[in-house]
Amino acid sequence: MNDYRKYWIWLATVLGPAVRTDEILGAFPEPHKAFEASESERMLSGVLSKGQLEKMRTVSMDTAIHYMNLCKKNGWEIITPDCENYPESLKKLTDIPLALYVDGDLGCIRDKVTIGVVGTRNPCYESIAITRNISGELTKAGAVVISGGALGIDSAAHEAALAAGGKTVCVLGCGLGTDYLRANEAMRREIGKNGAVISEFAPFTPASRRTFPQRNRIISGLSMGVLVVEAGEHSGSLITAKHANEQGKEVFAIPGSVLSTAYMGANSLIRDGAKAVGSAKDILTPYAVMYPDRLCLDGLSGPAKEEIKASAAEKSKPVKVRKECPKELDPECAAVYGLFGEEPVHPDEICAATGLPLSKVISVLMQLEISDYIEQTEGKNYILK
């Protein structure tokens, strides 16, 4: 029996992630027809660029079969748009992911209210407490929490959903099996057992600065609404919120002090029409009206005020400003130092962004730390000093 998933995987490899596919699928609704078409037929379709035509000539089916074998060996599932369990919400995107690599059960979102929870990787204590409270309450009410598996708000959201005994979905900005963010490896394993870890990137594809913005549309695509907890002016969370707006999804935000740059992004969202919320009930009430059989709001409380108050008592660190790059730094040190901004950076992220081996990255970080430019913080992250 012919497994037509291989044609979807082949086409996904040809086109790459986050590419507008609606016109291409309009011309070739069944990917095997694109694979079997002659070069002139592909050209005459008028929907393929010169680069895409070239990749169709050079990418063989062996690549797709290789990915299928990798997934079979590791116990991962591959879901394509013709599969019964492919999320209907993603089929509405103009840049639909043509293949999803899944560790776990993505069926956990079927007939569920799904809420994306995103925010900074370097949140204050108050934001962590709010995230944990809201994500736990969302889960207890019957919703599924969707996030990106990063440090900070993402991790707090996933961990709270797991602690509440619910389901959560992690959308990676790299391929399954990639040695990325080791600090979260145990959490990802738990998510795979109680939800799903998914990616549109082929197995073992490394993370990079481009892959995270590309995956954000999937977080919003899987979600009925997206909550932004704490986000600065240039936070990647705003990309997720932008996708949610474009996809016709509701955007929620936790309001913060207008005097803090850490909340500039979230406050801007509220100014532009996002709904200011303070509890899971604020988020779920309209969905409970639409889907009364999917949610139970009985017993939901407001924010965990005592926990938040106690957490807020911990003074959050002031915004770090990167000093001018010292002239004496060698090019590799300068490249690593240039990655630092408001949010903490993990060695694995530096490896992904620079292509340097982990041993070299650790050596560079030690030099910068000794020179008093950065310091190590919890979770083996580094921040500006």
Side-chain angles (χ1 to χ4, degrees), residues 234-256:
H234 303 294
S235 171
S237 305
L238 302 184
I239 298 175
T240 309
K242 179 176 180 288
H243 285 308
N245 267 323
E246 292 171 346
Q247 295 163 3
K249 310 294 181 67
E250 187 78 56
V251 177
F252 307 95
I254 302 293

Side-chain angles (χ1 to χ4, degrees), residues 155-179:
S155 291
H158 288 305
E159 289 166 357
L162 292 171
K167 304 292 185 181
T168 183
V169 174
C170 170
V171 186
L172 293 177
C174 57
L176 294 179
T178 303
D179 186 18

Side-chain angles (χ1 to χ4, degrees), residues 183-207:
N184 278 359
E185 184 178 349
M187 182 188 76
R188 290 194 296 268
R189 284 200 300 269
E190 285 304 307
I191 294 172
K193 298 173 185 176
N194 299 278
V197 179
I198 72 170
S199 176
E200 71 171 322
F201 302 100
F204 302 103
T205 299

Side-chain angles (χ1 to χ4, degrees), residues 120-129 132 150-153 155-156 159 181-184 311 314-317 320 340 343-349 365 369 374-384:
T120 178
R121 299 183 183 187
N122 187 29
C124 68
Y125 293 100
E126 183 180 23
S127 293
I128 292 175
R132 288 174 176 164
L151 299 171
I153 297 299
S155 291
E159 289 166 357
L181 268 186
R182 296 175 188 173
N184 278 359
S311 299
E314 298 279 355
K315 290 185 178 180
S316 56
K317 295 182 179 179
K320 305 289 184 177
F340 284 86
E343 299 188 351
V345 183
H346 192 277
D348 291 345
E349 295 176 297
L365 291 172
E369 190 172 13
I374 63 172
E375 62 182 337
Q376 189 173 2
T377 184
E378 59 185 36
K380 297 183 180 179
N381 292 297
Y382 288 82
I383 60 174
L384 293 170

Side-chain angles (χ1 to χ4, degrees), residues 45-365:
S45 70
V47 297
L48 297 165
S49 68
K50 183 178 179 181
Q52 290 168 341
L53 288 167
E54 176 61 25
K55 290 204 73 174
M56 282 190 169
R57 287 194 293 269
T58 57
V59 175
S60 74
M61 185 57 70
D62 291 341
T63 302
I65 293 172
H66 170 66
Y67 292 146
M68 294 176 75
N69 289 335
L70 272 178
C71 289
K72 184 177 181 180
K73 179 180 178 181
N74 287 280
W76 301 327
E77 186 179 7
I78 305 174
I79 300 175
T80 56
D82 59 345
C83 293
E84 184 179 354
N85 53 349
Y86 188 93
E88 287 296 322
S89 59
L90 293 184
K91 292 181 180 180
K92 300 173 184 178
L93 305 184
T94 58
D95 47 7
I96 176 176
L98 302 179
L100 291 173
Y101 301 90
V102 181
D103 181 10
D105 178 20
L106 192 53
C108 69
I109 68 171
R110 188 179 298 115
D111 298 326
K112 297 289 185 180
V113 171
T114 50
I115 303 296
V117 181
V118 295
T120 178
R121 299 183 183 187
N122 187 29
C124 68
Y125 293 100
E126 183 180 23
S127 293
I128 292 175
I130 291 171
T131 302
R132 288 174 176 164
N133 175 258
I134 290 180
S135 298
E137 294 276 86
L138 288 172
T139 304
K140 290 174 185 176
V144 176
V145 170
I146 315 290
S147 197
L151 299 171
I153 297 299
D154 287 15
S155 291
H158 288 305
E159 289 166 357
L162 292 171
K167 304 292 185 181
T168 183
V169 174
C170 170
V171 186
L172 293 177
C174 57
L176 294 179
T178 303
D179 186 18
Y180 171 71
L181 268 186
R182 296 175 188 173
N184 278 359
E185 184 178 349
M187 182 188 76
R188 290 194 296 268
R189 284 200 300 269
E190 285 304 307
I191 294 172
K193 298 173 185 176
N194 299 278
V197 179
I198 72 170
S199 176
E200 71 171 322
F201 302 100
F204 302 103
T205 299
S208 71
R209 284 186 170 184
R210 290 192 305 171
T211 58
F212 294 103
Q214 289 171 334
R215 67 88 193 266
N216 287 351
R217 80 192 196 285
I218 300 180
I219 294 177
S220 58
L222 291 173
S223 306
M224 293 182 178
V226 171
L227 170 66
V228 179
V229 178
E230 179 185 334
E233 187 178 12
H234 303 294
S235 171
S237 305
L238 302 184
I239 298 175
T240 309
K242 179 176 180 288
H243 285 308
N245 267 323
E246 292 171 346
Q247 295 163 3
K249 310 294 181 67
E250 187 78 56
V251 177
F252 307 95
I254 302 293
S257 171
V258 295
L259 301 178
S260 173
T261 58
Y263 295 98
M264 286 182 66
N267 288 339
S268 294
L269 289 174
I270 295 170
R271 181 196 64 207
D272 295 337
K275 182 179 179 181
V277 297
S279 69
K281 197 168 186 178
D282 292 341
I283 296 169
L284 292 180
T285 296
Y287 297 106
V289 174
M290 293 184 284
Y291 308 103
D293 57 329
R294 300 184 186 182
L295 294 170
C296 178
L297 306 191
D298 295 345
L300 285 194
S301 61
K305 295 179 182 178
E306 292 305 315
E307 179 186 357
I308 292 169
K309 183 178 179 181
S311 299
E314 298 279 355
K315 290 185 178 180
S316 56
K317 295 182 179 179
V319 176
K320 305 289 184 177
V321 178
R322 184 160 55 88
K323 304 170 187 175
E324 184 177 348
C325 188
K327 295 179 181 179
E328 66 270 17
L329 290 184
D330 61 48
E332 289 178 336
C333 280
V336 171
Y337 187 58
L339 297 176
F340 284 86
E342 293 182 13
E343 299 188 351
V345 183
H346 192 277
D348 291 345
E349 295 176 297
I350 297 173
C351 291
T354 63
L356 295 173
L358 183 60
S359 58
K360 179 62 179 177
V361 168
I362 296 298
S363 174
V364 168
L365 291 172

